[in-house]
Amino acid sequence: MKQLNKADNKNIIYPIFEEQKIDSKIIDTLQFDINDTINRNFGEVTKVYTLGKYPFTFILFIGLGKKEAFSTAKLRKLVAKISCHVQEHMNLVIDHLGDDVISRSTFVRVWVESHITSQYQEQKIGHDPKPITDLDIISSVYLDRAIKFGTVYGEGINYARRLSDMPSNLMTPAIMAEEAAKLAKEYDIEYMVLSKASLEEMKAGGILAVNQGSQIPAYMIVLKYTHNGNAEHQAVIGKGITFDSGGYNLKGNSYGMKYDMCGGADVLGIMRILAGIQAKTNVYGIIPVTENLVNGKAYKPQDVITTMSGKTVEVVSTDAEGRLILCDAITYAQKLGATRLIDLATLTGACVNALGDVYTGVFANDDEYYHEFEQAMKAADEKGWRLPLDQAYLDKLKSNSADLKNSAGKPGAGASIAANFLESFVEKDTQWIHLDIAGTADQDGTGATGAMIRSVVEMMK
Ligand code: BES
Ligand code: MN
Ligand code: ZN
């Protein structure tokens, strides 16, 4: 993807608003006034063959609809919708759009990003993934930065989706740790990993309990991106269950549970984008990673474990494992000194019931921090809905044998109960947002989505 000052004789993509006339040079060259035949309604594609009048074969006119109704959110939809018409190496012409609706640089940044994400396909194992078609942007205004940013975002999101879509036998905790190490090396990010031995030393009893039933040791992956001097590091934490069988509370149907590490993959995508755009910020990326399986050593219902925080937890359900690995990650992030935390986790089926695959469940222990995030979601064109935290939910996690239990059974509001469990590991002066992406992280048919990557990047940068 690059910028050219002049079209280089490839087929042209020509987006156009309802209020606009087609450039008279095009009409002159075609020797036919097509102004009345081009449908400019939003999302309409009109293919006009050049019949030898140009050294290329056709122009794709893309209707943008009315100027006043246009937005970056609509642009994202549009690019996805027309991606089936876009062939290898076309020229995208944009100068005629001007800057009054959205700036041309924003238009190009969002177009390039959406171009890259809309061509993503889950990879058939053993085959190379389908490459993204090249696109040159024809313009006289400076667009290098817009193209660069669009590319970094698009590729970062696809990278996270690629990791997420991998089957669990090919994306084990060990492989995920290797991927993180590779990323860190390539992008000059600091990398640390707490092995099982260090987790034992740190008394990370949550993640270790979940890991008991797996043949593969657990890891706490830590990436440290420092690009803002001595400022404090924020932390992004992602649930990394590479497969969730439910443990002894075995799931009836665990199809789809390879996606239980999407939060972790998203964290890697977020770190890659931050480093790619050289964002002036300091961020820890923390991923507790393990399988949740069953064997003779696996943890069992009513086991009492001691988490890294020192708090004891009665395991009511071995299927409420996400919160057990996340509570240790939250404690660890605070031990590292972070006082602003965001976690992403495919945490509860209850969140899927409430919001489906449309909205991410958003929880925050601080209104100001939430409002910041609301702005970030708006800027990123992503959908999240705030759900409540309340002492009354936490009260449902009282245990006779431990400080708290990891599940309340089925009293409803499972997403809030899980969030309140996590909140009890967040210290008073720490700002914290929890994103329950159980419904939004993957979609039937298209696979992993990279949900909330853009919003969290927006927040961190
Ligand atoms: N990974 C699941 C949540 C999930 C469900 C993600 C469906 C995506 C789709 C999580 O570990 C889980 O099993 N949660 C339980 C918690 C319950 C036992 C308290 C749930 O939601 O049923
Ligand atoms: Mn589970
Ligand atoms: Zn899970």
Side-chain angles (χ1 to χ4, degrees):
M1 247 79 37
K2 62 180 182 303
Q3 175 175 4
L4 299 174
N5 291 324
K6 237 175 103 241
D8 67 351
N9 297 340
K10 301 289 189 321
N11 293 322
I12 281 180
I13 304 173
Y14 193 96
I16 183 161
F17 287 109
E18 212 170 292
E19 295 86 347
Q20 288 188 307
K21 289 227 155 237
I22 296 162
D23 194 325
S24 59
K25 269 186 277 174
I26 295 178
I27 306 295
D28 292 348
T29 310
L30 292 176
Q31 297 169 343
F32 193 78
D33 190 349
I34 51 172
N35 264 303
D36 290 342
T37 56
I38 301 305
N39 188 336
R40 295 161 174 80
N41 288 339
F42 180 78
E44 287 295 334
V45 178
T46 315
K47 191 171 186 173
V48 172
Y49 287 93
T50 57
L51 303 173
K53 306 272 169 45
Y54 273 112
F56 51 85
T57 316
F58 63 84
I59 306 176
L60 274 188
F61 289 95
I62 312 288
L64 299 178
K66 283 199 170 52
K67 282 187 173 184
E68 61 171 22
F70 199 66
S71 63
T72 54
K74 287 190 90 175
L75 178 55
R76 291 175 192 282
K77 280 205 195 93
L78 178 90
V79 177
K81 183 166 183 272
I82 64 149
S83 76
C84 53
H85 297 278
V86 177
Q87 303 172 344
E88 181 56 39
H89 211 130
M90 294 182 76
N91 283 177
L92 170 65
V93 176
I94 58 133
D95 268 354
H96 60 284
L97 296 176
D99 294 308
D100 54 331
V101 184
I102 56 177
S103 73
R104 280 171 286 187
S105 70
T106 300
F107 188 93
V108 165
R109 175 174 58 76
V110 173
W111 188 296
V112 167
E113 181 196 308
S114 308
H115 174 83
I116 293 169
T117 54
S118 62
Q119 291 191 20
Y120 174 87
Q121 280 179 355
E122 186 172 346
Q123 181 183 355
K124 273 206 202 312
I125 302 303
H127 298 261
D128 286 337
K130 196 186 100 219
I132 306 293
T133 57
D134 205 5
L135 182 71
D136 286 337
I137 292 100
I138 315 304
S139 173
S140 53
V141 297
Y142 172 78
L143 292 170
D144 284 358
R145 198 179 148 84
I147 295 171
K148 165 93 193 288
F149 272 50
T151 306
V152 168
Y153 274 70
E155 289 178 350
I157 292 165
N158 284 358
Y159 162 75
R161 295 163 82 187
R162 184 78 64 216
L163 299 178
S164 300
D165 278 328
M166 285 306 253
S168 71
N169 60 325
L170 302 177
M171 190 47 64
T172 61
I175 296 172
M176 211 155 155
E178 279 167 36
E179 283 294 337
K182 246 198 288 179
L183 177 77
K185 195 160 177 229
E186 192 179 337
Y187 284 85
D188 197 22
I189 303 170
E190 262 178 85
Y191 170 79
M192 296 167 275
V193 64
L194 303 185
S195 63
K196 197 172 161 186
S198 343
L199 290 169
E200 280 163 357
E201 212 169 291
M202 298 200 68
K203 301 194 163 56
I207 182 170
L208 287 169
V210 177
N211 182 241
Q212 277 171 214
S214 170
Q215 304 279 40
I216 303 168
Y219 299 93
M220 184 85 75
I221 299 168
V222 183
L223 295 172
K224 187 180 186 184
Y225 173 77
T226 306
H227 208 77
N228 191 24
N230 293 324
E232 189 177 280
H233 282 73
Q234 314 176 65
V236 196
I237 299 168
K239 173 176 174 182
I241 295 290
T242 59
F243 189 79
D244 182 11
S245 73
Y248 273 100
N249 292 91
L250 199 61
K251 286 182 185 295
N253 179 6
S254 51
Y255 192 83
M257 283 305 138
K258 70 170 182 177
Y259 287 115
D260 217 16
M261 39 61 78
C262 282
D266 287 355
V267 167
L268 294 182
I270 289 160
M271 300 304 281
R272 179 172 149 149
I273 294 171
L274 289 172
I277 62 173
Q278 288 285 290
K280 272 216 164 9
T281 181
N282 291 342
V283 181
Y284 282 116
I286 301 176
I287 310 166
V289 45
T290 173
E291 302 174 315
N292 185 24
L293 296 182
V294 275
N295 67 12
K297 292 182 179 164
Y299 76 146
K300 304 173 295 300
Q302 289 187 306
D303 284 1
V304 173
I305 62 177
T306 306
T307 61
M308 193 193 285
S309 68
K311 275 195 182 55
T312 55
V313 177
E314 177 192 355
V315 178
V316 169
S317 173
T318 58
D319 198 12
E321 84 297 340
R323 60 202 78 179
L324 297 178
I325 69 168
L326 288 167
C327 69
D328 281 347
I330 288 171
T331 301
Y332 187 58
Q334 293 170 121
K335 275 188 198 292
L336 290 172
T339 56
R340 282 160 74 97
L341 314 178
I342 299 184
D343 78 70
L344 303 100
T346 47
L347 202 62
T348 67
C351 192
V352 189
N353 293 337
L355 305 174
D357 64 3
V358 180
Y359 279 79
T360 293
V362 184
F363 299 84
N365 68 345
D366 180 85
D367 287 343
E368 212 175 291
Y369 198 41
Y370 174 75
H371 290 307
E372 254 183 74
F373 191 71
E374 206 177 17
Q375 293 305 310
M377 288 193 293
K378 202 167 167 217
D381 297 319
E382 290 192 298
K383 290 179 184 168
W385 201 262
R386 191 172 184 182
L387 296 171
L389 293 165
D390 196 300
Q391 178 65 39
Y393 294 125
L394 190 60
D395 288 346
K396 296 183 194 295
L397 294 175
K398 285 196 175 123
S399 164
N400 291 332
S401 58
D403 293 330
L404 74 170
K405 53 189 184 183
N406 75 335
S407 164
K410 288 224 173 298
S416 284
I417 292 174
N420 270 95
F421 177 94
L422 294 179
E423 193 197 11
S424 65
F425 293 84
V426 177
E427 284 153 22
K428 285 277 161 299
D429 44 5
T430 301
Q431 290 178 308
W432 164 73
I433 282 172
H434 159 58
L435 301 173
D436 194 332
I437 55 171
T440 49
D442 67 278
Q443 238 143 22
D444 291 346
T446 45
T449 60
M452 288 291 142
I453 290 180
R454 288 199 305 266
S455 300
V456 176
V457 167
E458 197 61 33
M459 210 46 190
M460 292 290 137
K461 74 177 199 204

